[in-house]
Amino acid sequence: MRHRRIGGWKWAALWLFAFSLLWNTTGAQVRYTIPEELKEGSIVGNIAMDLGFDISNIAERKLRIASESNRQYFSVDLGKGDLVVNGRIDRETLCGQSASCLMPLQIVIENPLQMHSLEIEIQDINDNAPNFHNKHATLKISELTAAGARFTLESAEDLDVGTNSLKSYSLSNNNFFRLNLKSSKNDRLVPELVLDKPLDREKQAIHKLTLTALDGGNPVKSGTSVLEITVQDFNDNEPKFDVAAYKASVLESVGFGSVVLKIKATDLDDGLNGEIQYLFGANTPDLVRNVFSVNAETGEVTVTGKLDYETTKSYTFDVCAKDKGNPELEGQSSVQIDVIDENDNLPEIILTSLPSPVPENATVGTVVALITVKDLDSGNNGKVQLTVSPDVPFKLKPFHNHYALITDSLLDREAHSEYNVEILATDSGVPPLKTAKTITVKILDVNDNPPLFSQSSYNVHINENNLAGASLFSVKASDTDQDKNALLTYSILDTNSNQVPASSYFYINSENGTIYCMSTFDYEKLKLFSVVVQAKDQGSPSLSSNATVHVFISDRNDNAPAVIYPSTSMGSVTHQRMPRSAKAGHLVTKVTAVDADSGHNAWLFYRLAEATDASLFSVNLHTGEVRTKRAVSEHDDSSQRLLIEIKDNGEPIQSTTVTVDILIEDGFHEPILDYREKTIEPNKKTGKITLYLIISLASVSLLCLLTFFILLVKCARGSRGGSSCCIRRTHSEYKNPNRNLQIQLNTDGPIKYVEVLGGDMMSQSQSFGSYLSPMSEFSDLTLVKPSSTTNFTDTLNVLDASLPDSAWTFESQQVRQT
Ligand SMILES: *[C@@H]1O[C@H](CO)[C@@H](O)[C@H](O)[C@H]1NC(C)=O
Ligand SMILES: *[C@@H]1O[C@H](CO)[C@@H](O)[C@H](O)[C@H]1NC(C)=O
């Protein structure tokens, strides 16, 4: 439009130049004044009349408008000679803003050719409203801008001129702005926006104003422009948290990444100024940072570390919301996160004092150990109950914040040497957590069990003539106690029952109870020995028990038969006499022998080993009777010698021989009846003899006792003077107890031999006996009668002295010889 206007101006200037030339040539000038925008056909003026042409011939003379360029606006009505508006005439197009608008017009007429200039002044009418180039103007004003600031606005344009041109501006109603008009250098009004009051984007970010431009026409025409004012944000608002202090709680077991809470802040500012990022407060300790994190964008507070109620029950920290403005502003809030306890800690059993070993004789209630329990959880989760396994003799007793494990009953190490006491701690959480601890309680041994022999008495058999020093037997005792209390030593006790100290014959290995014989035994002297062994433990005090070992000494065939009759004590051969008149079967003599052994070992057999005339004599195998086999004849030698062998039945067989010399006398007479006839009634005789024998022996025993008693009294009286008697007495006491009475019967009936055995074991056996002479019809027991000797004890003493090793033997034999 402006361009067209400028074009118009140029065009007008050209025409002015051209007309001024023409003007000079033609002189007078016709001017018409018309308003612009006349309707087509409107008559501007009658040019025929005004230029002095004859209307009748203007057609002939070809009146026309010369200027081709202006022809379009006007035409000539050749009938009336009127200049008629031919097209729209817009002053603003033709003349722009110039105050006057003259349009030159050349009228040409021929015959003669004349050229007339005329001017048509085109007057302005208010046909243009003020116009803003930008109907929508925008303006950005910082909210920081102080009141009074001015902003030049775009002016409007009104193509009209004069009064029709732009006259004033007005601004729509508003609270912040007013309009100021200033005139520019070329006298144009320039609208200016003045800020009356500071803006606040946060209250109103956009202000829409309407600027109206008014012209001075009548009616007034106006143009408007919408002015959109954007309030530019300034970071004048800090982020604000919704809540001044956040509070949340979280289970201590919550997993990593769990959102605990979401913080939220708002910032009224715009753009980056309102973009918030969340962070920890500047002074947040690592303790918190290790466990939580704040999402900068979303404000979610998440768990990133291990929570533990027992370590930290609550976290309090500051959070900060920061915008991205420049300068950035921040808001603060505090967060408190409480950790909720869960039953995540096992109860702990702590031994305050290590369990001490308990002696088995501890009284009920003895303290074994002190125990405490700990549970890091709180509340019910931390309430712990302790129990002890029911099958042990222990219980728990509260004791100053502790528990004392005490004995509940009497203990016996031999039954239970050790207890594994299981202690169970259970808390009251849901579900409850349990911890078990096993305490080993050792029971100390007390010497409360005596050693126990496998048997209370043992029977041991040993052959006589045993090897001294050989092991005899082993006793074994056991002790259920422990260590020293069960360490046994064996010993042999000397008891009164043996008269001789057993320890002098036996030795016991004190460690393993093997018993050794220290001497050789002789069955003929000692048949039984009782040894009391003791097993003793090493406890304090020690306990012991006894067992008796009965040592039975068995007989061996260690004694050869001893010939009693015929006596060979003097070393010479005994002479037996017999009449030559003797018939067959005549009893010449009877060989009698004894054997100190017993049983089979003492069974004797007699045999004729050699004879001067073997056809004359025979020897009875069992009785030892020597008889004639046939009648003695005149031819038989008067001196006969027999060698008789006596064997026992032992193993090995022991034997002895005796030589009997027989003198056959011619005048020798049998003094008594045939022995054989007399022996028909032996019972009568033996009954009498037995009676005598018993009486005699009883008397002897009595006498013996009496004698020893007297001796004892004597010694006791004389003991002040010398000790020799006592020693002797002690000696003699050892000798006597084993005396015994042995009555030996012949196989064929009558008592043949009585012996009183006695003596100690170390000495030879003593026999004190009497024999019945087989030869005598009234074989009489010849006793060592008290009356036959002046003093029996004297006799004993004499014998005692005469025999070796203080043994005594008394033998008496009397055969009534006729
Ligand atoms: C006891 O000890 C002795 C000597 O060491 C040994 O000879 C004997 O065989 C042992 N007896 C037992 C029953 O072990
Ligand atoms: C063992 O025998 C001895 C001697 O006879 C005696 O003093 C002791 O009391 C006995 N011990 C036991 C346990 O019987």
Side-chain angles (χ1 to χ4, degrees):
M1 201 171 184
R2 185 174 285 267
H3 179 75
R4 274 172 62 197
R5 204 163 58 200
I6 291 168
W9 274 101
K10 280 179 182 171
W11 182 81
L14 276 170
W15 276 105
L16 267 173
F17 179 66
F19 272 104
S20 59
L21 290 173
L22 286 169
W23 196 269
N24 291 334
T25 53
T26 55
Q29 197 149 56
V30 177
R31 176 186 294 215
Y32 299 102
T33 299
I34 55 164
E36 57 175 328
E37 307 286 352
L38 276 181
K39 262 200 274 178
E40 214 173 300
S42 301
I43 296 165
V44 178
N46 194 306
I47 53 169
M49 192 170 54
D50 291 340
L51 289 174
F53 299 127
D54 186 357
I55 295 170
S56 57
N57 63 5
I58 51 170
E60 261 173 69
R61 291 182 67 187
K62 293 183 184 175
L63 178 79
R64 63 179 191 272
I65 295 165
S67 56
E68 287 295 318
S69 57
N70 282 342
R71 269 190 69 183
Q72 51 185 322
Y73 300 109
F74 302 102
S75 63
V76 178
D77 181 355
L78 290 175
K80 291 176 188 166
D82 288 338
L83 187 66
V84 182
V85 174
N86 195 28
R88 184 182 164 243
I89 299 163
D90 182 24
R91 194 200 68 83
E92 285 75 25
T93 314
L94 294 171
C95 302
Q97 288 299 100
S98 58
S100 67
C101 182
L102 290 172
M103 191 183 273
L105 202 68
Q106 299 293 322
I107 303 294
V108 178
I109 195 158
E110 294 174 11
N111 299 322
L113 180 66
Q114 289 176 323
M115 187 176 289
H116 296 275
S117 297
L118 55 88
E119 278 180 334
I120 299 166
E121 185 184 10
I122 297 163
Q123 285 184 318
D124 183 41
I125 62 162
N126 195 16
D127 61 343
N128 286 293
N131 182 43
F132 287 99
H133 187 63
N134 283 329
K135 295 283 187 291
H136 287 276
T138 53
L139 187 62
K140 288 180 177 169
I141 302 174
S142 164
E143 60 179 326
L144 260 195
T145 312
R150 285 156 193 265
F151 306 91
T152 303
L153 301 178
E154 184 196 337
S155 306
E157 225 172 342
D158 194 327
L159 295 177
D160 296 326
V161 292
T163 52
N164 289 334
S165 66
L166 194 103
K167 278 286 171 304
S168 68
Y169 290 91
S170 72
L171 193 66
S172 56
N173 259 350
N174 72 89
N175 294 324
F176 295 93
F177 302 96
R178 65 183 162 84
L179 197 63
N180 181 49
L181 296 175
K182 62 175 186 183
S183 41
S184 67
K185 280 169 195 154
N186 50 5
D187 269 351
R188 287 184 63 189
L189 276 177
V190 175
E192 211 177 40
L193 197 65
V194 180
L195 186 65
D196 253 357
K197 269 197 323 199
L199 293 168
D200 186 355
R201 192 202 65 80
E202 286 69 40
K203 279 185 187 139
Q204 193 175 355
I206 289 171
H207 298 264
K208 273 194 174 154
L209 301 176
T210 310
L211 182 65
T212 309
L214 299 162
D215 64 16
N218 187 19
V220 173
K221 287 205 164 187
S222 64
T224 57
S225 169
V226 176
L227 180 62
E228 191 175 291
I229 298 164
T230 309
V231 183
Q232 281 191 311
D233 186 49
F234 178 73
N235 197 15
D236 56 348
N237 287 286
E238 73 273 4
K240 275 207 178 73
F241 277 103
D242 298 355
V243 183
Y246 288 92
K247 207 165 173 177
S249 50
V250 61
L251 286 173
E252 60 177 325
S253 67
V254 81
F256 288 4
S258 304
V259 177
V260 181
L261 82 156
K262 188 167 177 175
I263 53 175
K264 173 123 181 67
T266 44
D267 191 322
L268 296 174
D269 291 325
D270 194 27
L272 289 176
N273 293 338
E275 252 178 46
I276 296 171
Q277 51 184 1
Y278 300 95
L279 342 145
F280 279 118
N283 297 320
T284 309
D286 282 347
L287 179 76
V288 175
R289 291 177 194 267
N290 291 340
V291 177
F292 297 106
S293 75
V294 177
N295 185 304
E297 302 301 320
T298 62
E300 283 175 342
V301 178
T302 48
V303 178
T304 54
K306 178 89 190 79
L307 292 175
D308 186 7
Y309 175 85
E310 286 67 40
T311 316
T312 315
K313 294 179 175 50
S314 176
Y315 294 89
T316 306
F317 52 93
D318 285 339
V319 283
C320 166
K322 233 180 217 178
D323 62 25
K324 294 173 180 171
N326 188 18
E328 54 190 19
L329 293 177
E330 62 176 49
Q332 301 259 350
S333 181
S334 70
V335 174
Q336 182 186 335
I337 297 174
D338 293 327
V339 180
I340 301 168
D341 184 44
E342 280 182 292
N343 197 16
D344 60 341
N345 283 286
L346 288 169
E348 199 182 341
I349 300 171
I350 300 162
L351 290 180
T352 318
S353 73
L354 286 177
S356 45
V358 200
E360 56 181 322
N361 63 353
T363 52
V364 171
T366 302
V367 175
V368 177
L370 274 183
I371 298 161
T372 45
V373 280
K374 208 165 88 179
D375 193 318
L376 293 173
D377 294 320
S378 60
N380 277 342
N381 293 340
K383 264 187 211 148
V384 183
Q385 223 185 351
L386 274 189
T387 49
V388 173
S389 44
D391 49 345
V392 294
F394 297 97
K395 65 176 182 185
L396 286 166
K397 192 177 147 192
F399 179 75
H400 298 292
N401 298 334
H402 288 68
Y403 289 92
L405 185 68
I406 59 171
T407 58
D408 195 22
S409 62
L410 290 174
L411 305 170
D412 183 9
R413 191 204 64 81
E414 284 71 39
H416 283 103
S417 63
E418 186 177 283
Y419 287 95
N420 286 327
V421 184
E422 190 185 83
I423 293 174
L424 187 69
T426 314
D427 66 22
S428 311
V430 180
L433 293 178
K434 293 174 184 183
T435 304
K437 189 171 196 117
T438 302
I439 297 175
T440 302
V441 180
K442 284 207 157 57
I443 309 300
L444 293 181
D445 187 47
V446 169
N447 195 17
D448 55 353
N449 288 290
L452 216 62
F453 277 100
S454 54
Q455 287 168 246
S456 63
S457 72
Y458 301 86
N459 293 337
V460 183
H461 295 271
I462 177 179
N463 288 329
E464 60 176 334
N465 305 323
N466 56 306
L467 195 67
S471 87
L472 170 66
F473 186 65
S474 273
V475 290
K476 181 86 192 131
S478 54
D479 192 317
T480 48
D481 289 321
Q482 207 182 16
D483 299 333
K484 276 185 97 174
N485 294 338
L487 190 64
L488 301 182
T489 54
Y490 298 92
S491 60
I492 289 174
L493 296 182
D494 286 326
T495 52
N496 293 332
S497 62
N498 278 327
Q499 267 75 32
V500 264
S503 56
S504 56
Y505 295 117
F506 296 99
Y507 161 80
I508 191 163
N509 183 317
S510 65
E511 278 156 31
N512 65 18
T514 299
I515 299 172
Y516 301 87
C517 300
M518 301 305 287
S519 61
T520 302
F521 294 104
D522 186 355
Y523 173 81
E524 285 70 38
K525 279 178 262 168
L526 186 69
K527 292 177 175 57
L528 170 67
F529 202 103
S530 294
V531 184
V532 177
V533 290
Q534 185 174 64
K536 192 173 184 181
D537 61 31
Q538 305 284 297
S540 173
S542 68
L543 295 173
S544 67
S545 63
N546 297 343
T548 310
V549 179
H550 299 289
V551 180
F552 291 97
I553 297 151
S554 316
D555 183 46
R556 303 308 308 269
N557 192 26
D558 60 342
N559 288 289
V563 179
I564 296 167
Y565 182 86
S567 173
T568 51
S569 59
M570 306 314 284
S572 60
V573 198
T574 51
H575 293 272
Q576 302 289 331
R577 291 185 222 166
M578 63 170 287
R580 195 172 282 272
S581 59
K583 307 276 185 308
H586 176 85
L587 178 64
V588 182
T589 183
K590 179 174 177 172
V591 177
T592 305
V594 289
D595 195 309
D597 297 319
S598 51
H600 283 264
N601 296 336
W603 289 4
L604 299 184
F605 302 99
Y606 302 87
R607 189 176 70 86
L608 185 61
E610 279 175 40
T612 313
D613 184 355
S615 63
L616 190 55
F617 299 100
S618 72
V619 175
N620 185 294
L621 181 65
H622 299 292
T623 60
E625 286 172 342
V626 179
R627 290 179 190 269
T628 50
K629 275 181 167 174
R630 56 173 168 83
V632 184
S633 71
E634 288 298 320
H635 310 289
D636 289 324
D637 210 339
S638 63
S639 174
Q640 296 280 339
R641 173 165 283 200
L642 305 178
L643 183 67
I644 297 168
E645 186 191 39
I646 304 140
K647 279 186 188 166
D648 63 18
N649 193 31
E651 179 65 42
I653 292 169
Q654 300 247 29
S655 64
T656 190
T657 53
V658 66
T659 307
V660 179
D661 275 348
I662 300 166
L663 206 62
I664 304 174
E665 292 178 342
D666 292 329
F668 185 76
H669 289 282
E670 278 301 330
I672 38 166
L673 292 172
D674 193 320
Y675 177 73
R676 272 189 299 181
E677 286 158 25
K678 288 296 170 190
T679 53
I680 292 165
E681 293 180 342
N683 288 344
K684 210 177 178 181
K685 228 183 266 176
T686 39
K688 218 190 268 172
I689 289 163
T690 311
L691 190 70
Y692 288 150
L693 189 72
I694 289 166
I695 292 166
S696 310
L697 284 172
S699 313
V700 170
S701 302
L702 249 171
L703 204 85
C704 242
L705 270 169
L706 204 75
T707 312
F708 283 118
F709 180 73
I710 291 162
L711 272 171
L712 211 108
V713 172
K714 265 189 183 174
C715 282
R717 277 183 187 165
S719 61
R720 287 174 208 142
S723 56
S724 58
C725 178
C726 282
I727 293 163
R728 191 180 171 81
R729 192 184 59 182
T730 321
H731 228 77
S732 61
E733 268 177 3
Y734 282 136
K735 292 175 190 171
N736 298 325
N738 287 333
R739 304 278 152 103
N740 57 27
L741 180 69
Q742 189 171 351
I743 298 171
Q744 204 168 359
L745 291 175
N746 259 340
T747 41
D748 51 354
I751 292 171
K752 177 188 76 173
Y753 172 69
V754 175
E755 98 181 323
V756 177
L757 290 172
D760 61 47
M761 292 158 292
M762 304 300 285
S763 68
Q764 283 283 314
S765 154
Q766 302 86 37
S767 61
F768 174 38
S770 175
Y771 301 93
L772 300 174
S773 167
M775 296 291 289
S776 167
E777 193 181 356
F778 304 102
S779 329
D780 214 347
L781 180 69
T782 312
L783 292 170
V784 183
K785 290 174 192 161
S787 53
S788 67
T789 47
T790 47
N791 190 337
F792 180 71
T793 46
D794 282 355
T795 316
L796 289 182
N797 285 340
V798 168
L799 280 163
D800 215 359
S802 68
L803 286 166
D805 199 15
S806 68
W808 58 267
T809 306
F810 181 78
E811 270 183 30
S812 170
Q813 61 178 72
Q814 189 172 356
V815 178
R816 182 178 289 179
Q817 307 218 338
T818 29

